[in-house]
Amino acid sequence: MDRKWRALIVVCVAIFMLLLDITVVNVALPDIQRELHTSFTDLQWVVDAYALTLAAAMLNAGSLGDLLGRKRVFVAGVGIFTVASALCGAATSPLFLNLARGLQGIGGAVMFAVSLAILSQEFHGRERGTAFGIWGATVGLAVAIGPLIGGALTTWAGWRWIFFVNIPIAALCVVGSIFYLHESRDEEHGGFDIPGFITLTAGLFALVLALLRGTDWGWTSGRTLGLLAGAVVLLVGFVLVELRQHAPMFDVRLFRKPAFTGAQAVAFTLSSSMFSQFLYLAIYLQTLLHYSPIGAGVRFLPVSLTSFFVAPLAGRLSARMPPRILLGVGMTFVGIALLLLHGITHSSSWTTLLAGFIVGGIGVGTVNAPLASVAVSVVEPRQAGMAAGVNNTFRQVGIATGIAGLGAILQRQHDYIAGLNDILLVASFVAFAGAILGFALVRTGDLVASGPQRQGAESAAA
């Protein structure tokens, strides 16, 4: 096996591990709640603390990879993630667990931010489509199969092992990274952006906190309105800071390219509509249908298996057809899936979810591979780290705000089934909006060719 394919395996194993920790906790939440005596908001933070720090640290992590070397930064991220996983497994209180989850998100951000940039240096042309197809399958499988793995570990070993299991896997990733990854960097990059990091992190935290606590505090209360206003000010401040930077961690001028804007819109809507639902569907399966953690996890298999088989096919198709078609069709499937999930009643069995899960798996698999390719193809190769970081940030912000926003809608209903139907309907509208934006904005002419393709394009232009 060529070294680059071994590098792909190392990167995909690491990405699988860090993304698994977004959803692996979902089916363990009832056990965590009983042992640590957590509230419903605490349970939401177990997921959002990870997703939020993953999103906030992503952009600077990509910049550090461009400056210091993507291989070096990747290995450091695996190390941070390992230590944080051990702390999560040893948590003795909700606050301890959520702080450790935040640290875990920082380590995950470092790995995630440079993963696509590493692969973009290794693969070109049709091989890049195949590699990104495998990467996309890994993303879809990790997020969807998390409940199954979390259920098995929670049932047979205890919820703490959903974190302890990361330690030996991370050790293997470090060894593989040292032997198989090539070093690459952007020598012209300006470095760590402290003002941008502070304004982005504080703005996202204020927004998510307001959405999570708005129902309890009241949506017109001073605390809620103050947090929302603060979030707007801080996020606008972040944009202004980046516009003034000579080498920004997030070049907001890239939004002038419709394809770049479309890629971020699809990333956000996919995560906020579909992936954020797994938390509430896992609670439904365990609390209302009374399945064990492993029983609930098994019910998510139709999503994971379908997305796993569809994603490589979408990766190969992305080299033969405009990505806008795959993104538009894929997000349409996601919207239809959420409509199929809608309509749950108190007498429903888990098979009510089956059609929606299968169609959702098709949609997720269709979107992930071309989205990954577009994310790094809208910029010059030297900016691949930043572009990958921006796209991954929108993915994680989508999960964090989706869980918080949909959770706020759900809590307005006294009946969980009614609330679940409400958020499934809202999420379907979000997915259809993503389909429209992806199809309308992602234009092939905005993409930059790589490797031999780019050389051929330059020769033709000359």
Side-chain angles (χ1 to χ4, degrees):
M1 182 186 295
D2 290 347
R3 183 205 53 78
K4 63 183 177 183
W5 294 105
R6 294 179 181 178
L8 174 64
I9 292 172
V10 171
V11 170
C12 285
V13 169
I15 296 306
F16 181 86
M17 177 179 63
L18 77 90
L19 287 178
L20 199 66
D21 273 40
I22 296 175
T23 58
V24 74
V25 300
N26 287 341
V27 294
L29 290 177
D31 284 31
I32 293 174
Q33 184 176 35
R34 283 191 294 269
E35 183 172 336
L36 299 184
H37 307 292
T38 65
S39 65
F40 184 75
T41 300
D42 288 332
L43 290 183
Q44 291 174 299
W45 272 116
V46 173
V47 180
D48 265 4
Y50 182 75
L52 189 60
T53 53
L54 193 64
M58 193 78 70
L59 295 175
N60 264 317
S63 298
L64 285 178
D66 290 341
L67 178 67
L68 302 177
R70 291 154 186 162
K71 173 181 176 178
R72 182 181 303 168
V73 168
F74 184 83
V75 173
V78 176
I80 295 171
F81 189 87
T82 306
V83 172
S85 295
L87 292 174
C88 287
T92 55
S93 69
L95 179 60
F96 189 126
L97 176 59
N98 290 331
L99 289 175
R101 286 283 284 171
L103 181 62
Q104 208 181 22
I106 293 174
V110 174
M111 290 189 284
F112 205 0
V114 298
S115 63
L116 285 179
I118 289 172
L119 296 184
S120 70
Q121 297 294 325
E122 298 285 350
F123 297 93
H124 303 282
R126 291 194 174 185
E127 283 190 339
R128 175 181 282 191
T130 301
F132 282 178
I134 296 171
W135 186 93
T138 302
V139 171
L141 182 64
V143 176
I145 207 173
L148 175 63
I149 295 178
L153 290 170
T154 303
T155 300
W156 297 325
W159 68 265
R160 296 181 185 277
W161 280 95
I162 64 178
F163 302 112
F164 287 147
V165 73
N166 291 332
I167 298 173
I169 299 174
L172 291 175
C173 288
V174 169
V175 174
S177 299
I178 293 172
F179 282 101
Y180 300 127
L181 298 188
H182 274 163
E183 189 61 277
S184 62
R185 56 171 55 86
D186 174 9
E187 300 287 354
E188 300 178 1
H189 203 281
F192 196 79
D193 182 358
I194 295 177
F197 175 75
I198 292 174
T199 51
L200 177 63
T201 304
L204 290 177
F205 180 83
L207 174 62
V208 171
L209 181 59
L211 292 174
L212 287 177
R213 300 306 303 271
T215 301
D216 295 334
W217 292 342
W219 292 103
T220 58
S221 68
R223 282 184 291 184
T224 302
L225 294 177
L227 282 170
L228 291 174
V232 171
V233 171
L234 287 164
L235 293 175
V236 170
F238 168 72
V239 173
L240 296 177
V241 165
E242 296 308 291
L243 285 172
R244 295 173 61 89
Q245 292 281 2
H246 173 67
M249 67 175 183
F250 183 173
D251 188 354
V252 295
R253 296 176 183 86
L254 288 173
F255 279 107
R256 295 172 182 171
K257 281 190 173 184
F260 182 85
T261 303
Q264 314 324 315
V266 171
F268 178 86
T269 54
L270 176 62
S271 293
S272 60
S273 63
M274 191 67 182
F275 292 154
S276 62
Q277 293 289 349
F278 291 146
L279 168 63
Y280 301 113
L281 290 171
I283 292 175
Y284 164 71
L285 287 169
Q286 289 186 80
T287 304
L288 280 82
L289 297 187
H290 307 293
Y291 285 107
S292 66
I294 183 65
V298 167
R299 269 71 187 178
F300 280 94
L301 273 178
V303 181
S304 61
L305 293 179
T306 305
S307 63
F308 180 80
F309 287 111
V310 169
L313 298 176
R316 287 192 287 271
L317 285 174
S318 66
R320 297 179 175 87
M321 66 172 55
R324 61 190 289 184
I325 295 177
L326 293 173
L327 295 178
V329 170
M331 289 304 300
T332 299
F333 273 118
V334 172
I336 293 171
L338 291 163
L339 288 178
L340 290 173
L341 292 169
H342 179 264
I344 299 170
T345 67
H346 287 279
S347 60
S348 296
S349 66
W350 83 270
T351 54
T352 302
L353 308 176
L354 187 57
F357 278 172
I358 293 174
V359 175
I362 294 172
V364 170
T366 303
V367 169
N368 269 327
L371 179 58
S373 182
V374 170
V376 295
S377 299
V378 292
V379 298
E380 297 293 334
R382 65 182 181 82
Q383 292 182 300
M386 180 191 67
V390 170
N391 192 250
N392 291 331
T393 294
F394 273 86
R395 288 176 184 264
Q396 302 313 313
V397 171
I399 290 178
T401 55
I403 286 175
L406 294 176
I409 296 172
L410 187 149
Q411 290 184 77
R412 293 178 61 184
Q413 292 279 4
H414 297 295
D415 179 66
Y416 191 88
I417 296 293
L420 183 59
N421 280 314
D422 286 348
I423 64 174
L424 286 167
L425 188 60
V426 171
S428 70
F429 296 149
V430 173
F432 287 130
I436 294 170
L437 292 172
F439 184 80
L441 297 177
V442 178
R443 304 180 306 193
T444 306
D446 289 338
L447 306 184
V448 179
S450 70
Q453 288 181 330
R454 183 177 176 181
Q455 292 174 4
E458 289 174 347
S459 299

